[in-house]
Amino acid sequence: MFDQDEVTGTLVNYYTTCKREAWLYAHHIYPDQEDENMALGRTIAEIKEQNLQDFAFANLKFDKLSKERGHYLVTEYKKSLKNPEAGKMQLLFYLYLLKIGLRLKEVKGRLISGKSAFLVDASEENLNMIKEILIDIEKLVNMPTAPKFEYKKICDNCAYRNYCM
Amino acid sequence: MQKNDRTHFILNPGRLRRQDNNIYFDKYDDEMSVVATKILPINAVDEIYILAKVDMDSYTMAFLADNNVLLHIFSPYQSFRGNFFPNTSNSVNKSGFVLLQQLRSFDDEIKRSYIAREITRAHILNDALNCKRHGVKFDTNPHISALEVAKTIPEIMAVEGSFQKLYYEKWNEIISDQKSFKFTVRSKRPPADKINSFISYVNTRIYNVCLSEIYKTELDPRIGFLHEPNYRSLSLHLDLAEIFKPILGDTLIFSMLNKKEITAKDFETNAGRIKFTNDAVQKIEMKMISKLTDQIEAGGQKLTWRQIIRREANRLKKCICENAPYEGFVYQ
């Protein structure tokens, strides 16, 4: 049985992008590691703050945590902002865990790609949304087989393309 | 991404160390003092074959693991000792789900023979197309229909065996130098004549390439479908190689023999065992590497032969995990 505690930020991101991708990732069927975009992502992850590696929360793997005036700011770097919804959900998941687990009062999230950036707010409405998504993810991953493959435009650049297609 | 052959061989004793997010190799001389240092760019290496005594520390190994570099370790007499398997959050190869599914498909008689049949069909078709490309007629219909009827693994193996015998007889029509490379009968361990020793050498290389590509997916190389896994340690790469032996190996043999790049002089006999001279090995390896890095069009993408092999492994994985229809790769 897959439990909500095992959900990671990447899984939330994948869930918003493609349900099949999320199922595969949760079952440790990983995408092609030599894919160009994978390599880029791994390089971007190196911007990460060093001391975050021994952060108390195992599932939290965001890139940066900074203390601003009166609130904490979680930063996530992305290769592109083509799919802002997925990045937003990933950040909301971090904010949710920080709020529930560490009881931080004011937390905000920021998504950065190149020179553009946008803020994600941990409002009541948003947190309820992520709560529902977490329940959905648990349901999806506990299904015995992956959702059927359907061709979408994003499939062309996905690192799973050699497996799915 | 354009890829070259990303295999690295270490043939000298030395020390492999990490420095500034990169891998350095210090070559030792007899007194263990460093004589030369070489940089192995971490992003351009996929696997390292270690054939000598090499020092390494856990810091280096963790770094290699983080970057998904496979280590194959061999004894000084070139027998296989084992692999270093990366196990970090970045690394692949540790899905319990895929392993379970693979075991289930192996135990399922119908599914196992289905996969075995598809692999054999691709093997037969690739062989026949090879003949056709060299202007030799070959009728595969009786074999394909016999394959359709075959239910069990021994029956499929029998079809394959009888086909293989006929196929090797056709080689005498393809290879022009009949004086030193006449094919009579396939013999192994040790190969009895020059052509057999050539086949054995090239096949071994293809087995190794298939094995490395299987290691990059979650499949377990211990459980094969066509070849019986009971009495050997690894067998899935033999299955996969069945499809690619005719495309990569046999064409390489034909072209090197017909262009007279390999002649009878490239072999030396020692106590009844035939082996290549070092020059010949180098010539074959150069050809092999250029073959593996050749790009062809498949499924709307331009892929190198190595990537095609991995794609094939992925399709097998999809068949195992999701009961998707599987069709072996046929090179038109």
Side-chain angles (χ1 to χ4, degrees), chain A residues 19-35:
Chain A
K19 304 255 190 306
R20 187 180 156 83
E21 190 181 17
W23 192 95
L24 292 174
Y25 183 79
H27 283 80
H28 291 271
I29 300 178
Y30 288 137
D32 182 5
Q33 297 294 311
E34 288 170 16
D35 189 78

Side-chain angles (χ1 to χ4, degrees), chain B residues 3-239:
Chain B
K3 289 278 174 65
N4 294 318
D5 202 66
R6 305 169 127 234
T7 321
H8 199 88
F9 289 84
I10 293 179
L11 300 162
N12 295 304
R15 181 182 162 77
L16 206 60
R17 63 185 165 89
R18 173 185 179 177
Q19 188 184 319
D20 309 333
N21 277 347
N22 219 338
I23 293 289
Y24 286 69
F25 181 71
D26 299 332
K27 190 173 148 189
Y28 288 164
D29 62 0
D30 294 340
E31 271 106 43
M32 299 277 284
S33 49
V34 179
V35 283
T37 299
K38 199 178 169 189
I39 305 174
L40 317 179
I42 189 77
N43 286 328
V45 176
D46 261 351
E47 45 196 288
I48 302 174
Y49 284 75
I50 297 179
L51 299 146
K53 188 181 167 191
V54 169
D55 296 348
M56 223 184 308
D57 49 26
S58 62
Y59 182 60
T60 312
M61 291 178 96
F63 179 65
L64 288 172
D66 262 335
N67 287 286
N68 274 320
V69 176
L70 263 169
L71 289 182
H72 304 273
I73 300 164
F74 291 82
S75 79
Y77 296 100
Q78 292 173 8
S79 61
F80 187 64
R81 276 212 174 124
N83 318 87
F84 174 61
F85 241 48
N87 190 9
T88 59
S89 55
N90 267 347
S91 68
V92 288
N93 249 313
K94 47 179 186 179
S95 171
F97 172 76
V98 176
L99 179 60
L100 270 175
Q101 289 294 327
Q102 198 178 343
L103 289 168
R104 281 179 194 141
S105 336
F106 177 78
D107 262 353
D108 185 346
E109 292 247 321
I110 298 168
K111 197 169 176 186
R112 184 184 168 190
S113 53
Y114 169 73
I115 294 173
R117 218 167 20 236
E118 285 301 321
I119 288 171
T120 315
R121 189 204 310 277
H123 173 59
I124 290 176
L125 288 177
N126 279 328
D127 275 351
L129 282 165
N130 239 351
C131 287
K132 200 179 157 196
R133 235 167 268 140
H134 287 87
V136 177
K137 278 217 180 77
F138 197 88
D139 187 22
T140 53
N141 287 334
H143 300 282
I144 296 285
S145 51
L147 193 64
E148 230 106 89
V149 189
K151 285 276 178 305
T152 59
I153 300 292
E155 278 170 27
I156 295 170
M157 286 294 250
V159 172
E160 207 233 327
S162 67
F163 165 79
Q164 197 75 14
K165 221 172 138 192
L166 285 175
Y167 172 62
Y168 278 136
E169 275 167 22
K170 296 280 178 199
W171 280 38
N172 290 335
E173 293 174 42
I174 296 171
I175 296 164
S176 53
D177 185 1
Q178 280 295 307
K179 227 168 98 194
S180 23
F181 295 104
K182 187 170 171 57
F183 193 93
T184 45
V185 70
R186 179 87 175 100
S187 61
K188 296 168 193 169
R189 278 183 231 171
D193 51 17
K194 293 186 178 99
I195 185 90
N196 271 307
S197 109
F198 200 171
I199 297 171
S200 291
Y201 181 86
V202 171
N203 283 355
T204 313
R205 261 299 262 153
I206 292 170
Y207 289 147
N208 269 326
V209 172
C210 286
L211 185 59
S212 331
E213 295 305 310
I214 286 173
Y215 273 134
K216 288 176 199 164
T217 66
E218 286 85 5
L219 291 172
D220 194 312
R222 283 173 296 184
I223 296 148
F225 292 89
L226 179 61
H227 293 83
E228 204 62 52
N230 296 2
Y231 307 108
R232 57 193 321 150
S233 52
L234 304 172
S235 57
L236 185 64
H237 66 301
L238 303 178
D239 288 5

